[in-house]
Amino acid sequence: MVVLGIETTCDETAAAVVERPGEGPGKILSNVVLSQVNEHAVFGGVVPEIAARAHVEALDQVIAKAMADAGHTFDSIDGVAAAAGPGLIGGVIVGLTTAKAISLVSKKPLIAVNHLEAHALTARLTDGIAFPYCLFLASGGHTQVVAVRGPGDYVRLGTTVDDAIGEAFDKTAKLLGLGYPGGPQVEKEGARGNPMRFPLPRPMQGRPEPDFSLSGLKTALRLEAEKIAPLTDQDVSDLCASFQQAIVDVVFDRLRVGLKIFRERFGAPTALVAAGGVAANQAIRKVLHRLSFESGTVLVVPPADLCTDNGAMIAWAGAERLAHGLTDPLEIAPKARWALDDVAGAASRPSKGP
Ligand code: KG4
Ligand code: ZN
């Protein structure tokens, strides 16, 4: 089964062609990602209207390249998937409408994919792991601990009550005058810093539910920075290192609780899986290794370029849904908000195709 996937929910214009050979991992036949980072960097964050316009300008060529790289035509694929949300609605409309046009003209089924579901299923594309597994999803907009039991079968065990982890990295970078996107910048600066220098809080540590709270940490960091302003390069590095260490400690504690609750409710998970842009962070990867070792759970962390937004994850989620007969009508609406536990699965929705 070969599916084209289109991703336009944020600031990457991406398309990919992926093959799902039945059970086991998938095969990425092409994966084209055009980042708009330079267009947004001067504003210190993603500007929705600029993002939507850039998607309109680039998407046709990105799809053409993905098809050519894969050696496929619209006639030779089995379905067209697009991220239908959650995300910046202007961009989502561009990607979903394009997928609808391809579906209509080539008479191939349309699959409207939830962007978070695509992050959640990436570990099956890369490693072919079985359900159920415990997912740690940490991106710019989301921080969640989820029991992944099947396509369209997700139970959220914990989430953030305020900022997402990626958002906290981005805000920290902005506060310290570092570039956008903030996560990689904070990681890079922090590598030269002292993680013990600033006594930052570890919010929610020890709580019985695997929830996160990060706005207090961000405020504490701002207060520490204000106390010693003007900041030297070493101050910035130490603040980054201290911030990242606080996040690492919080992730360890919160996920330990998440795994415990997973076991109580669903039995042993097949794996602990990390997804979303924050999973590209090496210090976070390291602490996930420690946790998996201590808890006797296999750890699966897809390569960094499949953790950040890409078309292959959308194509794969589309292929997984298509394999279960889960297709969508052309009238399907784009969604700015769309929780993972609201994604319909095989048990809850009959197959509908164009
Ligand atoms: O999943 P993603 O590409 O986009 C969505 O938000 O859906 O995640 C982007 C987020 C940004 O907040 C970015 O700062 C963060 O992931 N990020 C990182 C790293 N690379 C990306 N955070 C920490 N360390 C990194 N190396
Ligand atoms: Zn994402």
Side-chain angles (χ1 to χ4, degrees), residues 263-307:
R263 279 204 185 85
E264 284 166 8
R265 290 184 60 182
F266 309 109
T270 58
L272 170 63
V273 170
V278 176
N281 183 290
Q282 293 303 325
I284 289 176
R285 284 173 173 243
K286 226 163 116 189
V287 80
L288 294 177
H289 273 289
R290 206 178 101 213
L291 179 63
S292 81
F293 181 74
E294 278 185 21
S295 63
T297 312
V298 173
L299 177 69
V300 177
V301 190
D305 61 337
L306 293 176
C307 282

Side-chain angles (χ1 to χ4, degrees), residues 7 9-10 115-116 119 137-142 276-277 307-310 313:
E7 160 59 35
T9 63
C10 192
H115 178 93
L116 304 176
H119 276 305
L137 172 62
S139 70
H142 303 272
C307 282
T308 50
D309 291 350
N310 64 86
M313 68 179 193

Side-chain angles (χ1 to χ4, degrees), residues 40-63:
H40 300 288
V42 281
F43 301 99
V46 180
V47 183
E49 179 61 19
I50 293 177
R53 289 180 193 199
H55 289 308
V56 171
E57 269 170 34
L59 187 57
D60 286 358
Q61 287 115 296
V62 168
I63 292 173

Side-chain angles (χ1 to χ4, degrees), residues 4-5 26 28 105 111 132 154 157 229 237 245 247 254 262-263 339 346:
L4 165 68
I28 298 174
V105 170
I111 308 107
Y154 307 97
L157 303 176
S237 294
Q245 188 57 49
I247 295 277
R254 306 290 65 219
F262 188 110
R263 279 204 185 85

